[in-house]
Amino acid sequence: MWYIFWQALAIYFLPNQESKDILSDLYQAIAKKLITHDHGFIFSSDRNELFIKSAQLRSQIAGLSHTLESRIHQQFTAGEDSAKLQDIYRFLKVAERVNEQTRLLYFIPTSNLQQTCPEWLDKIHQATLKISQYLEQVTVDNVHRINVPNIDFEELRRYTIQENIKEEALAALSYINKLDIIYLTLQQLSQQTSQTLSSNISKPIVVSWKWRELASKLTSQMTLKSSYFRHALRGTLSLATGLIIVRSLNLDFGFWTLMTSLLVLRPNLSMTWTRLLQRLIGTICGLLVVVALLHFQVSTSILPFIFCIAVILFFHTSARHYGFSVFCVTLFVFAGFSLNGQGDNILLPRLDSTVLGVFLPLLFVFILSPGWNKKLFPTQLTTTTTGYIDYLVSLKMFVADKSDSTATQLQRHYQDCVVNDTNLFDHWMGYLGEPHRKSQTGEHILLCSHSSNIILRILTQLNENKQSLPLDSTINSDLDSVIASLTELDKTLKKSQNHTELFKHISKQEKLIYQSFIYIENEIYKLDNHTLLQLLAKEVDLFTSAIKVNNI
């Protein structure tokens, strides 16, 4: 009843508030990513460090964007079509466009450029800072009340540059151009009026209930090779074991054990471990506050306020900050039991149930095909490479026929490339959360992720220039060359599914690969479409030679 009451109030007084909160988090994450790319203007930073910070934010942005788009699609499917919901969708699309441009903002000034043009670099830095601050503040509700910063990009481009550093300044000018595109995109937030967007939103997939197909899909997953089956099996064992222990020991509030196991369990060890820590820390912090409330014998008249505030914060943060939401749920459970005269009885049962509830999923995810990221990484690398091939094949079709259908297909393949590259980096993040990790293996996974991101960056640049790609033999030949190089890499990866062999062969030419992508990062801004495609083929061939297994 309390849940229904507060949800009804929230829907009436704060419609779409959770979507707005996710959107706000998304824009703040993009602002942080923009500042990360700006870091090189002020500090001398290691390239890997900048890549890691940027990729972490990219992963966060991808999660927020996917969550928000799913919510919007569900609301439109349910028949909601308000102007405010349309604005949220418009803000989401602008955020995706800005995020795509930030992928091309890698720029670290040379020492010569820093010494010769410090004022110019400072002006570029200030422009980036203004845009970032705007991104941090802007929301659907206040977009018409806050001003877009006033930045003169033409003045930045007209800066007098000495002849001997013009070559080095090209990267800075490219950075300014990309920043200008972001600036113009953000101006659409306040200038564009609400309009019906139903036609622009892809329709939800309609499932056809064909029993034979459903039965086939179900039976094909009934094997330990299926991640879905393993996850379901772990969940079943965790809950069954928890129920047996709770019944055997007659534990008070034993259902908390089962709920905890259900909420903590994730498809692999590193994700489960992260969730476990959040659950434990949130519960312990909540219980410490409960101990303080009991010690000071808080008046019963205050408990309803604690209950209501904790409930509101719990529902407000459950989708975004799990640890804090656990802290809130611990407080409102205490307040609810205290109002019923049982506040003193929940401390130990809550702690016992949490400890037992987090231990069981960790145990079963560890002993039942834990899905080590170093073993799964070669498969994800192959999937990423295949996605790049699909994109380039679609790009070749688009160059020949620049119709709406080929453009839509091309954009879909491009989005798949972005998702695959993000998943590749997430494997490295997951590996860091696993026990018994080796620093060298972590470096090799990061090296592959960085190389993949360089390839994605080149594809992003090509995607930006797709309308200007001419239909001629040179471009076709370049595309065929890149596709052939990626296909060879794909074949090599499929033959090297053993993670130990893959990392061993990468280590042989590790320095050469690092030198290659450093060169590409420095030169990508200066290159035309033809040279970009040639460079991409060269980079892929180099990476293939690094993992080539002679005895295959």
Side-chain angles (χ1 to χ4, degrees), residues 464-475:
E464 283 288 300
N465 303 336
K466 61 180 181 284
Q467 293 293 346
S468 62
L469 284 173
L471 178 59
D472 57 30
S473 57
T474 304
I475 291 297

Side-chain angles (χ1 to χ4, degrees), residues 8 20 41 92 94 119 121 219 221 230 253 309 319 397 487:
K20 291 178 186 177
F41 284 91
L92 173 61
V94 169
E119 301 89 356
L121 293 177
T219 53
Q221 298 293 336
R230 291 198 303 271
F253 309 109
I309 293 170
M397 292 172 59
T487 302

Side-chain angles (χ1 to χ4, degrees), residues 514-526:
Y514 268 114
Q515 290 172 359
S516 172
F517 69 61
I518 287 173
Y519 166 76
I520 293 170
E521 282 185 335
N522 291 337
E523 300 295 319
I524 189 173
Y525 302 100
K526 309 172 186 177

Side-chain angles (χ1 to χ4, degrees), residues 319-469:
R320 299 183 297 154
H321 308 290
Y322 181 67
F324 185 73
S325 70
V326 171
F327 169 79
C328 295
V329 79
T330 303
L331 286 184
F332 90 67
V333 164
F334 162 73
F337 274 86
S338 294
L339 289 169
N340 200 32
Q342 294 179 295
D344 297 343
N345 301 330
I346 73 158
L347 282 175
L348 286 178
R350 181 73 180 176
L351 186 60
D352 293 343
S353 298
T354 299
V355 171
L356 181 58
V358 299
F359 172 75
L360 290 174
L362 184 66
L363 173 66
F364 286 109
V365 82
F366 187 83
I367 64 175
L368 186 63
S369 302
W372 303 107
N373 280 282
K374 65 180 178 182
K375 293 184 179 180
L376 298 175
F377 186 78
T379 304
Q380 181 59 50
L381 190 58
T382 304
T383 303
T384 305
T385 304
T386 304
Y388 291 152
I389 295 171
D390 292 340
Y391 172 79
L392 287 166
V393 170
S394 294
L395 182 61
K396 189 177 177 182
M397 292 172 59
F398 177 79
V399 171
D401 174 23
K402 294 183 179 179
S403 62
D404 290 341
S405 59
T406 55
T408 302
Q409 185 183 26
L410 181 66
Q411 192 60 24
R412 187 176 70 250
H413 283 304
Y414 175 73
Q415 292 301 329
D416 290 341
C417 289
V418 174
V419 171
N420 288 331
D421 181 70
T422 303
N423 290 340
L424 207 61
F425 179 78
D426 286 343
H427 271 67
W428 178 75
M429 291 288 291
Y431 180 71
L432 296 184
E434 292 178 353
H436 310 300
R437 64 180 182 273
K438 295 180 181 178
S439 58
Q440 191 176 24
T441 301
E443 288 173 6
H444 291 158
I445 295 176
L446 183 62
L447 175 61
C448 292
S449 301
H450 203 157
S451 295
S452 168
N453 189 251
I454 292 293
I455 294 173
L456 177 64
R457 221 176 298 167
I458 294 173
L459 294 185
T460 302
Q461 189 73 55
L462 290 169
N463 200 57
E464 283 288 300
N465 303 336
K466 61 180 181 284
Q467 293 293 346
S468 62
L469 284 173

Side-chain angles (χ1 to χ4, degrees), residues 33-35 37-38 41 98 101-102 104-105 107 120-132 135 149 151-153 156-157 171-187 525:
K33 190 167 185 285
L34 196 61
I35 287 297
H37 293 302
D38 180 64
F41 284 91
V98 171
Q101 290 300 315
T102 61
L104 300 171
L105 282 178
F107 165 59
W120 187 42
L121 293 177
D122 183 63
K123 287 180 180 179
I124 300 173
H125 163 66
Q126 293 300 326
T128 308
L129 202 59
K130 288 177 182 178
I131 294 175
S132 176
L135 280 166
I151 303 172
D152 189 345
F153 284 96
L156 290 176
R157 294 188 186 97
L173 289 169
S174 177
Y175 182 97
I176 292 170
N177 291 338
K178 298 303 176 188
L179 207 60
D180 194 4
I181 293 173
I182 292 174
Y183 181 73
L184 293 172
T185 304
L186 290 176
Q187 286 182 328
Y525 302 100

Side-chain angles (χ1 to χ4, degrees), residues 178-282:
K178 298 303 176 188
L179 207 60
D180 194 4
I181 293 173
I182 292 174
Y183 181 73
L184 293 172
T185 304
L186 290 176
Q187 286 182 328
Q188 298 174 12
L189 293 176
S190 57
Q191 290 176 355
Q192 189 173 343
T193 57
S194 297
Q195 53 184 317
T196 303
L197 296 169
S198 302
S199 58
N200 296 333
I201 299 178
S202 56
K203 295 179 180 179
I205 298 172
V206 178
V207 179
S208 56
W209 292 93
K210 296 181 180 178
W211 295 107
R212 288 185 181 178
E213 290 182 10
L214 290 174
S216 175
K217 288 180 181 179
L218 181 62
T219 53
S220 67
Q221 298 293 336
M222 301 296 286
T223 168
L224 278 175
K225 292 182 180 179
S226 166
S227 59
Y228 297 104
F229 182 79
R230 291 198 303 271
H231 187 55
L233 185 58
R234 292 183 195 117
T236 302
L237 292 172
S238 297
L239 294 177
T241 307
L243 183 61
I244 292 170
I245 294 173
V246 166
R247 292 284 177 85
S248 302
L249 300 179
N250 245 345
L251 295 178
D252 293 331
F253 309 109
F255 63 90
W256 281 339
T257 298
L258 306 183
M259 285 179 59
T260 300
S261 294
L262 191 63
L263 294 170
V264 166
L265 182 65
R266 285 295 178 266
N268 60 50
L269 183 62
S270 59
M271 292 173 69
T272 303
W273 179 252
T274 302
R275 193 79 165 183
L276 177 153
L277 291 177
Q278 292 172 343
R279 182 81 184 192
L280 271 179
I281 293 170

